[in-house]
Amino acid sequence: METVITRFPPSPTGSLHIGGARTALFNWLFARHHGGKFVLRIEDTDVARSTEESTRGIFDGMEWLGLEWDEGPYYQTQRLDIYKEYLQKLLDMGHAYYCDCSPDELDARRKEAMAEGRKPKYDGRCRDRGLGPGPNRVIRFRCPDSGTTVLNDLIKGPIFFDNAELDDLVLQRSDGIPTYNFVVVIDDVTMNITHVIRGDDHVNNTPRQILIYQALGAPLPQFGHVPMILGQDKAKLSKRHGATSVMAYKAMGFLPEALVNGLVRLGWAHGDQEIFSREELIQYFSLENIGKSPSVFNLEKLLWLNAHYIKESEPHTLVPLLKPFLEKRGYPAKPDGYVGEAVRTLQTRVHTLEEMADGMKFFLVDDVEYDPAAAKKFLTPTMQEAFDRLIPVFESMEVFNEENLEKAFHQIVVTEMGLKLGKVAQPVRVALTGGTVSPGLFEIIGVLGKETVLKRLKRALEHMKSQ
Ligand code: GLU
């Protein structure tokens, strides 16, 4: 088999969104699976809508997802000479011609055709007029009047298009800028693309592109059109379904592994496996296992995947990822080792890094803030005795670890005071964290360390006394 070369050609008119990222991922995986190449091309001929910021956003999104490209980025605006050369070729071969029909004329004819019940397509008026270049002239492709164009789609199977239904497509607009359907072919031909894997919103463009390949005598790549992504309500995924930009998921505290896993399952399956390492994805990926029906984006599932990857991570690897979230909250900075230990207590309990950062507050701030309801219920004067007894024992403890703490706590609360463990555990939790929900009590005591624990117990005791 020849070397597989795939491509991802986003238009830099917005950030990298879920749909685009899935297309990039499928192309990347297909290339990696076949030991081929993955090309990045920026389709920036729509100068008015393209921005450098979007281009940077696309790079950031791809880098974050780990979709490294082997060639490019190419920019279409830097390739205009190449397009000119190919346009001239098509003109010389009689496959393209200049047309000076004005937008108003075209509009009037379109309306007339519709009124007469005909399909409103360009009527070929300028085909044989032998016009040359000039102001307000476009270049059109001379589409065959008859015959059938077949798209042998790798995902959808063969699709047949009646050539008579296709318009004489504009290849170059009157402002001299070539159009998408033309440049995409020239780029794919000159970059030796072997497989075009893209969203099925492009199916109807494909016969037009195939005809251009044929006019140029260029070999066709293989095409695979991936069904679209829907929201939970079965409408096409859009902003109104929530965040659609890849970087928004980073900002919400998703790990790239989770997003990659969630994206790949939007259309592709390998039995009923849900969680894949990157190596497994590369090994298993094939176009045969892409379904024919649209897939539904499911945030719950993405959260579940993210919780899985957070839980499976080595705590210290999460620390640098977590830092921006902690900084955003203005928590005082603490040594990485300490933050890592705090991560360890929380990583089985959260779905996102945001949630983790929220849950970590009491580990980082100097003084916890009591949740008023929790303080009212648990930091009551009746708890004074227990705290009075716990404080000196903790104070004199030489090895302040989970095991010794648990033993001492049990000894005082259960054996000496004859109380149930929970009766005192919850007030201690409020004293240390400010609230009633946290990781295991002795785990957090172990991480907070002697000094902080004693300081907080003493402060809670003062609070009880002031009630
Ligand atoms: N720039 C086009 C898009 O973003 C590329 C389509 C293609 O893959 O040919 O939809």
Side-chain angles (χ1 to χ4, degrees):
M1 191 172 167
E2 61 186 332
T3 305
V4 163
I5 306 180
T6 62
R7 72 334 180 245
F8 177 53
S11 308
T13 53
S15 56
L16 181 65
H17 54 83
I18 294 289
R22 180 191 62 166
T23 301
L25 176 62
F26 283 2
N27 279 284
W28 182 86
L29 283 172
F30 192 76
R32 290 290 170 271
H33 176 84
H34 290 284
K37 274 200 297 190
F38 174 58
V39 177
L40 177 62
R41 181 167 83 218
I42 302 297
E43 303 213 326
D44 57 351
T45 50
D46 184 349
V47 181
R49 291 176 60 226
S50 299
T51 66
E52 245 175 66
E53 192 194 340
S54 300
T55 305
R56 233 176 302 115
I58 290 165
F59 295 162
D60 289 348
M62 291 182 68
E63 270 162 28
W64 183 61
L65 292 173
L67 305 179
E68 74 282 358
W69 50 93
D70 307 300
E71 241 185 57
Y74 292 107
Y75 294 84
Q76 287 185 329
T77 47
Q78 293 173 7
R79 297 170 51 80
L80 297 174
D81 288 347
I82 302 174
Y83 308 137
K84 286 248 172 304
E85 192 188 308
Y86 277 88
L87 260 179
Q88 195 54 50
K89 249 189 217 177
L90 287 173
L91 285 164
D92 292 347
M93 291 190 291
H95 289 300
Y97 61 93
Y98 281 93
C99 162
D100 68 356
C101 297
S102 72
D104 287 346
E105 285 166 353
L106 293 170
D107 203 40
R109 277 185 251 153
R110 198 175 302 124
K111 284 192 182 125
E112 201 181 297
M114 291 206 327
E116 290 170 11
R118 286 182 287 121
K119 192 175 152 90
K121 60 174 241 179
Y122 182 68
D123 59 7
R125 190 163 302 210
C126 294
R127 274 184 172 187
D128 299 311
R129 288 177 62 207
L131 292 175
N136 299 321
R137 289 184 184 178
V138 302
I139 299 177
R140 289 185 183 271
F141 182 70
R142 190 183 191 115
C143 194
D145 292 318
S146 58
T148 304
T149 296
V150 187
L151 159 59
N152 279 311
D153 197 274
L154 293 171
I155 296 165
K156 294 178 179 287
I159 307 175
F160 299 88
F161 298 88
D162 188 356
N163 292 342
E165 294 283 309
L166 301 172
D167 237 330
D168 274 5
L169 172 84
V170 173
L171 302 176
Q172 178 180 288
R173 294 196 306 247
S174 55
D175 60 5
I177 300 290
T179 58
Y180 158 72
N181 275 305
F182 169 63
V183 291
V184 75
V185 172
I186 306 311
D187 285 338
D188 288 342
V189 168
T190 51
M191 294 172 193
N192 300 311
I193 302 300
T194 59
H195 293 78
V196 170
I197 304 163
R198 62 187 169 196
D200 67 2
D201 46 336
H202 285 289
V203 163
N204 286 328
N205 284 324
T206 310
R208 303 167 209 280
Q209 295 172 14
I210 290 176
L211 288 170
I212 299 174
Y213 277 94
Q214 289 170 343
L216 289 168
L220 282 182
Q222 307 240 48
F223 293 96
H225 287 93
V226 185
M228 64 175 150
I229 305 173
L230 308 178
Q232 291 285 330
D233 58 357
K234 305 284 152 70
K236 188 170 189 264
L237 188 69
S238 71
K239 282 210 179 91
R240 91 195 146 74
H241 292 105
T244 53
S245 122
V246 164
M247 291 317 252
Y249 284 86
K250 182 181 183 198
M252 286 189 280
F254 283 83
L255 302 186
E257 295 86 341
L259 204 61
V260 163
N261 236 287
L263 287 173
V264 81
R265 291 285 291 104
L266 290 173
W268 177 82
H270 180 74
D272 51 16
Q273 189 169 340
E274 287 292 353
I275 290 169
F276 300 88
S277 68
R278 200 162 275 253
E279 293 68 33
E280 283 175 317
L281 287 179
I282 292 172
Q283 190 188 339
Y284 300 151
F285 189 78
S286 75
L287 297 181
E288 286 87 66
N289 290 334
I290 292 180
K292 285 189 172 31
S293 41
S295 41
V296 176
F297 180 75
N298 182 339
L299 185 61
E300 295 294 312
K301 196 162 143 194
L302 202 57
L303 285 165
W304 173 79
L305 282 166
N306 206 44
H308 166 83
Y309 281 102
I310 288 179
K311 191 163 70 195
E312 297 292 303
S313 296
E314 278 300 322
H316 68 268
T317 63
L318 293 178
V319 174
L321 306 180
L322 190 64
K323 268 194 184 157
F325 295 90
L326 302 178
E327 280 161 15
K328 200 174 99 196
R329 285 162 175 73
Y331 300 158
K334 292 274 153 76
D336 285 1
Y338 176 79
V339 178
E341 287 311 304
V343 165
R344 194 188 296 282
T345 69
L346 282 159
Q347 68 186 137
T348 55
R349 308 170 63 92
V350 298
H351 294 89
T352 65
L353 297 177
E354 282 248 278
E355 251 183 73
M356 184 176 274
D358 286 338
M360 194 168 272
K361 184 174 181 184
F362 71 89
F363 279 119
L364 304 174
V365 294
D366 291 334
D367 278 319
V368 291
E369 226 174 277
Y370 297 138
D371 160 22
K376 185 158 186 268
K377 183 161 177 205
F378 294 107
L379 301 185
T380 56
T382 53
M383 274 302 123
Q384 279 183 40
E385 188 193 342
F387 275 54
D388 269 332
R389 285 173 181 244
L390 284 170
I391 289 168
V393 174
F394 281 6
E395 217 150 29
S396 61
M397 190 176 282
E398 266 170 38
V399 183
F400 197 80
N401 64 16
E402 240 182 278
E403 196 192 334
N404 288 348
L405 286 158
E406 197 162 355
K407 239 193 252 163
F409 196 84
H410 198 274
Q411 165 74 22
I412 294 166
V413 175
V414 182
T415 315
E416 295 176 17
M417 297 182 70
L419 294 173
K420 283 216 171 97
L421 217 51
K423 188 99 183 115
V424 183
Q426 202 61 338
V428 171
R429 190 189 304 278
V430 177
L432 298 180
T433 70
T436 52
V437 184
S438 80
L441 189 60
F442 298 107
E443 258 181 285
I444 63 173
I445 291 181
V447 175
L448 283 170
K450 192 168 179 174
E451 197 186 320
T452 305
V453 169
L454 285 168
K455 191 175 117 198
R456 291 188 189 178
L457 290 180
K458 286 177 187 169
R459 184 175 151 229
L461 190 57
E462 289 310 309
H463 180 91
M464 290 170 196
K465 286 185 185 157
S466 69
Q467 294 307 293

